Amino acid sequence: MSHEVQIGSFKVGAGNRPFLIAGPCVIESEQLVLDTAGKIAEITKSLGIPYVFKSSFDKANRTSIKSYRGPGIENGLAVLKKVKDQLGLPILTDVHTEEQATEAGKVVDVLQIPAFLCRQTDLLIAAAKTGKVVNVKKGQFLSPPEMANAVKKVEECGSQRIVLTERGSSFGYNNLVVDMRSFPIMRSFGYPVVFDATHSVQLPGGGGTKSSGQREFVEPLACAAAGAGVDGFFMEVHPNPDEALSDGPNMVPLHQLKSLLERVMRICDAAKPRS
């Protein structure tokens, strides 16, 4: 059983209803972000799912140096603050440096440590010191038990506001697989575990100068994770993924989100341990 972690007005973990982290991969425009956040909020409210909005102000690990990275921290945080103020949603965003963690921690509710950076001690410490929830994504190169080391780094700063996210493991070239054993293993560390259903179907570098993806497998993997037992789901969502500036091939089309969540939550309810 995991600790409860407070995010905004709700708690996650410890048997609470699974929550959703969702939004466009990267901030493309203020209007797109506000519109998408509002529509996802309507869907999750209708289904009784606690919701955290996610979008990135900077994608620092794009495959190509020419790829769109985002509006930058100053403009990006201004947009995220509007989502928080106008829609009343808790906010999650990625941070890549200690300085970004400090600045973003003044605005957002959850600081996300990208998978490639999950072993960066100084970054984990800086995020923990903000007092905000720290969502550490498991590196594609790590086994699930190794994530205990990341947990200990955050705990050493006096924080138990930790969430762990599974996003697949490298399997050969340009491919990821999800080991369902990861969920009970990481849950055993005592914190909520989230399944990143969209990055898990990514084909890293599969497009040559960009990553590709197989969004048709988001639903079956999310359903499998629901059956295995998770505390939340992470899904990047876009009104038109084929025109998105980042991660389009693996993002969930907005118009498909409600039916996907309905199915996933039915499985969560069926799989919930009986008291």
Side-chain angles (χ1 to χ4, degrees):
M1 184 67 71
S2 63
H3 294 295
E4 284 187 324
V5 175
Q6 186 86 32
I7 302 178
S9 62
F10 57 85
K11 294 180 179 180
V12 302
N16 286 293
R17 187 164 176 79
F19 72 110
L20 176 70
I21 300 168
C25 174
V26 66
I27 298 171
E28 298 179 21
S29 72
E30 179 180 305
Q31 196 62 53
L32 176 77
V33 163
L34 287 168
D35 289 348
T36 304
K39 290 174 182 175
I40 297 175
E42 290 176 6
I43 292 169
T44 52
K45 183 178 180 180
S46 72
L47 298 176
I49 301 172
Y51 173 45
V52 177
F53 176 77
K54 180 270 172 184
S55 198
S56 301
F57 58 79
D58 181 26
K59 300 298 291 185
N61 60 355
R62 295 301 305 273
T63 304
S64 171
I65 196 170
K66 296 181 180 180
S67 295
Y68 177 72
R69 289 181 52 166
I73 188 166
E74 183 177 352
N75 292 334
L77 289 178
V79 171
L80 295 176
K81 189 174 187 303
K82 283 193 175 182
V83 174
K84 185 173 184 175
D85 292 344
Q86 294 184 19
L87 300 177
L89 297 173
I91 305 297
L92 176 150
T93 199
D94 307 280
V95 291
H96 306 86
T97 67
E98 299 154 65
E99 294 77 16
Q100 285 185 354
T102 300
E103 286 304 308
K106 298 174 183 177
V107 175
V108 307
D109 302 270
V110 185
L111 295 172
Q112 180 166 280
I113 308 300
F116 285 128
L117 301 178
C118 68
R119 290 180 57 172
Q120 296 298 108
T121 302
D122 291 342
L123 178 58
L124 288 164
I125 290 172
K129 285 183 175 179
T130 67
K132 297 302 177 76
V133 177
V134 181
N135 179 34
V136 189
K137 301 189 80 173
K138 182 180 76 64
Q140 304 92 321
F141 46 87
L142 290 183
S143 65
E146 290 177 273
M147 284 296 287
N149 296 316
V151 168
K152 290 175 182 176
K153 290 177 182 180
V154 178
E155 287 179 331
E156 282 295 313
C157 298
S159 175
Q160 290 189 323
R161 305 194 73 196
I162 303 168
V163 175
L164 301 175
T165 295
E166 167 63 58
R167 53 95 73 237
S169 299
S170 296
F171 186 76
Y173 297 125
N174 309 120
N175 197 28
L176 299 169
V177 296
V178 180
D179 182 353
M180 292 294 153
R181 296 174 297 180
S182 178
F183 303 118
I185 290 171
M186 292 202 295
R187 262 182 152 186
S188 72
F189 306 150
Y191 295 97
V193 173
V194 169
F195 175 50
D196 183 343
T198 48
H199 283 101
S200 292
V201 301
Q202 191 179 62
L203 301 175
T209 59
K210 59 183 178 180
S211 292
S212 185
Q214 298 172 310
R215 75 170 70 103
E216 66 270 24
F217 296 126
V218 168
E219 184 165 337
L221 284 178
C223 288
V230 292
D231 300 288
F233 296 89
F234 180 112
M235 298 180 188
E236 290 191 325
V237 178
H238 195 282
N240 189 351
D242 291 335
E243 294 183 1
L245 300 181
S246 176
D247 273 1
N250 49 270
M251 280 201 280
V252 174
L254 180 58
H255 73 274
Q256 295 179 7
L257 181 64
K258 185 174 184 179
S259 62
L260 169 58
L261 291 176
E262 287 173 337
R263 184 181 179 196
V264 167
M265 296 308 293
R266 285 198 300 269
I267 296 171
C268 286
D269 290 341
K272 187 175 183 179
R274 297 182 183 276
S275 57

